[in-house]
Amino acid sequence: MPSDHSAGSPAGSSVDFEKVGSDYFQQRELKKGAAGWVLLVGLGVAYVISGDYAGWNFGLAQGGWGGMFLATLLMATMYLCMCFSLAELSSMIPTAGGGYGFARSAFGPWGGFLTGTAILIEYAIAPAAIAVFIGAYCQSLFGIGGWMIYLAFYIVFIGIHIFGVGEALKLMFIITAIAAIALAVFLVGMVPHFDAANLFDIAQTDAVGASSFLPFGYVGVWAAIPYAIWFFLAVEGVPLAAEETKNPKRDLPRGLIGAMLVLLAFALLILVVGPGGAGSEALKASGNPLVEALSKAYGGSTWMGGFVNLVGLAGLIASFFSIIYAYSRQIFALSRAGYLPRKLSETNKSKAPVMALVIPGIIGFALSLTGQGDLLILVAVFGATLSYVLMMAAHITLRIRRPKMERPYRTPGGIVTSGVALVLACIAVVAGFLVDPRVVIGAAVIYAVLIAYFALYSRHHLVAGTPEEEFAAIQKAEEALH
């Protein structure tokens, strides 16, 4: 077992690689060429579109409309800068590991593991939060909610993914398109009822800096950040489809940036038109804010409310469905490389990683039973923002240390752009503590357990020859020549 002291790894953090036979990789193959850039835009929007239907409105309870608006502008800036940066990284390192692969190249195996597991916390927890919102929608639509709905959705959609990725991505695209049409109907229906005074109807507190615009003062802006993130959370998962994309160096940047622009437009329109038509106070604690907004604006049930409610379920399903895809690919890549138990990366005849789909599904279902969608959002956001800090640091590090690496797509503004995203991500990491420190500390404990597993066991059992490790080996060889 050769020992590797990777460049960029902390001193004394040696890792050991084991060589495996060709049959190891034959049992761990994904379906090539399943997605083009249009499907990737759809995948990026699908990851996030549930955030337009439910979850964002909890930010109104933390910061009022003004606090949520400013938090959304800050997070929109962070995600836009980050997507430009990730577009470059994904064109350079197109592997199923996504952020893990980027950080592995910049900081060695420790950096790769810390980033990959932070992303994993985000993607394993987010479907549990979405399942809770699906339950709320089903309760209002059909009078049935709770654990039966959560379980049914986990079983059905994990089953579809096990059947095959090409079919899953196409179905996901159709569901997302339908959900986007419902958002358009909502926006058109609410515009005639818009009144700017409705935005500021939350009672002003005596907090520092409090006003009708910022009823909870300056700290409310910070506390609203985790819910502003919900408008965009998981769009960064597009690069996880790299090994199933027709032309990753061209399609991944297009998919990332295209999806982000669509999501930006939806976020700003919904945040202005929804509370502007129904009032911020009415929506701040709702599990079904768009339908509630229409009911308030029109004084009761309407065909639009029924349509948005029914199709809103499609929006939640699209995100639920697609984030299951994302967590399975992240686990697949980490497991294939030996960072997590190797059994998790074995694929079936349809080239789907079955155990990587099922095990996080069981954990997510158990967490959904808490029914605390808003608190589950905080856990997902903790993992996400931590990974953003590490991925942006990787972009800056690779630009400085390896300026001659091939970059089919280059980030506009270079390290200034990724630097802006890095600073905003650091602010966002801390924001969750302002809402409920117990939840974030709990997430940090889970992260610590995963780190202990790597430190004590898996770093001595890594697999040589995976795409991420091969890429790192090529980089080392090129550096030795210069």
Side-chain angles (χ1 to χ4, degrees):
M1 283 192 300
S3 196
D4 172 58
H5 296 263
S6 296
S9 293
S13 65
S14 61
V15 295
D16 301 311
F17 287 93
E18 297 174 7
K19 291 188 177 177
V20 294
S22 59
D23 60 328
Y24 178 87
F25 293 108
Q26 286 167 6
Q27 293 166 357
R28 292 163 173 81
E29 289 182 342
L30 298 172
K31 188 173 180 179
K32 310 296 182 189
W37 74 268
V38 174
L39 265 186
L40 291 178
V41 170
L43 177 62
V45 175
Y47 281 144
V48 190
I49 199 164
S50 67
D52 292 320
Y53 280 94
W56 61 270
N57 52 299
F58 297 128
L60 299 171
Q62 298 294 331
W65 187 83
M68 182 60 181
F69 178 70
L70 293 177
T72 301
L73 288 182
L74 287 170
M75 292 302 96
T77 302
M78 178 184 81
Y79 273 93
L80 201 54
C81 290
M82 186 169 71
C83 283
F84 281 126
S85 305
L86 292 177
E88 175 175 300
L89 289 168
S90 64
S91 74
M92 295 160 60
I93 310 164
T95 70
Y100 138 64
F102 310 150
R104 168 68 183 90
S105 294
F107 306 121
W110 267 98
F113 180 81
L114 291 173
T115 307
T117 46
I119 294 168
L120 193 51
I121 290 171
E122 170 193 358
Y123 288 149
I125 303 298
I130 296 165
V132 173
F133 300 134
I134 287 173
Y137 266 71
C138 286
Q139 187 70 51
S140 65
L141 271 172
F142 313 118
I144 305 170
W147 72 268
M148 289 183 293
I149 293 294
Y150 310 157
L151 182 62
F153 274 85
Y154 266 107
I155 289 172
V156 168
F157 290 108
I158 287 175
I160 293 170
H161 278 297
I162 289 170
F163 183 67
V165 67
E167 296 77 7
L169 286 174
K170 284 166 188 163
L171 179 59
M172 206 184 299
F173 189 85
I174 293 165
I175 295 170
T176 305
I178 294 166
I181 291 167
L183 288 180
V185 169
F186 168 78
L187 292 168
V188 170
M190 290 299 292
V191 165
H193 298 271
F194 178 82
D195 181 346
N198 288 336
L199 300 172
F200 313 115
D201 66 349
I202 292 176
Q204 183 178 326
T205 66
D206 56 2
V208 176
S211 63
S212 59
F213 182 70
L214 295 175
F216 301 100
Y218 302 131
V219 75
V221 180
W222 206 351
I225 280 175
Y227 302 104
I229 285 174
W230 201 239
F231 271 132
F232 310 106
L233 183 83
V235 66
E236 75 281 359
V238 171
L240 293 169
E243 291 179 34
E244 293 152 287
T245 299
K246 290 173 185 171
N247 184 345
K249 292 182 179 182
R250 182 198 68 188
D251 294 343
L252 291 173
R254 286 184 182 181
L256 259 170
I257 295 163
M260 184 58 207
L261 293 175
V262 172
L263 293 165
L264 188 59
F266 275 139
L268 293 175
L269 286 168
I270 287 164
L271 183 58
V272 171
V273 171
S280 297
E281 179 68 38
L283 302 185
K284 70 180 187 182
S286 174
N288 195 347
L290 302 196
V291 175
E292 200 145 319
L294 286 165
S295 297
K296 186 94 189 310
Y298 285 88
S301 299
T302 63
W303 72 267
M304 273 186 293
F307 178 72
V308 171
N309 202 2
L310 186 61
V311 182
L313 192 55
L316 293 167
I317 290 168
S319 292
F320 183 76
F321 193 21
S322 55
I323 297 175
I324 287 172
Y325 170 85
Y327 76 54
S328 69
R329 270 43 182 187
Q330 188 65 71
I331 289 175
F332 169 83
L334 288 167
S335 165
R336 180 178 61 181
Y339 291 83
L340 294 177
R342 297 178 189 178
K343 194 78 179 166
L344 295 173
S345 54
E346 289 183 3
T347 52
N348 64 7
K349 290 179 182 177
S350 300
K351 307 297 185 188
V354 178
M355 297 297 282
L357 286 160
V358 172
I359 289 177
I362 294 168
I363 295 167
F365 169 67
L367 288 169
S368 71
L369 296 176
T370 64
Q372 301 291 313
D374 53 340
L375 298 184
L376 290 168
I377 286 174
L378 289 182
V379 180
V381 165
F382 171 78
T385 51
L386 208 54
S387 75
Y388 301 164
V389 170
L390 292 164
M391 289 190 292
M392 293 305 94
H395 181 273
I396 294 166
T397 300
L398 290 173
R399 272 288 184 111
I400 293 169
R401 287 190 187 165
R402 293 169 184 148
K404 293 182 180 177
M405 278 178 69
E406 184 192 357
R407 289 171 168 82
Y409 175 89
R410 295 183 71 87
T411 303
I415 61 172
V416 173
T417 300
S418 48
V420 168
L422 176 62
V423 170
L424 290 170
C426 289
I427 292 168
V429 169
V430 180
F433 287 92
L434 296 176
V435 181
D436 192 332
R438 295 167 305 164
V439 175
V440 183
I441 290 166
V445 169
I446 296 167
Y447 193 45
V449 169
L450 289 167
I451 292 168
Y453 171 78
F454 181 67
L456 297 173
Y457 177 77
S458 69
R459 71 187 176 99
H460 299 300
H461 300 275
L462 300 183
V463 177
T466 65
E468 294 83 8
E469 300 303 336
E470 287 290 293
F471 191 85
I474 291 166
Q475 284 180 300
K476 274 191 173 181
E478 288 176 349
E479 280 179 1
L481 292 173
H482 291 298

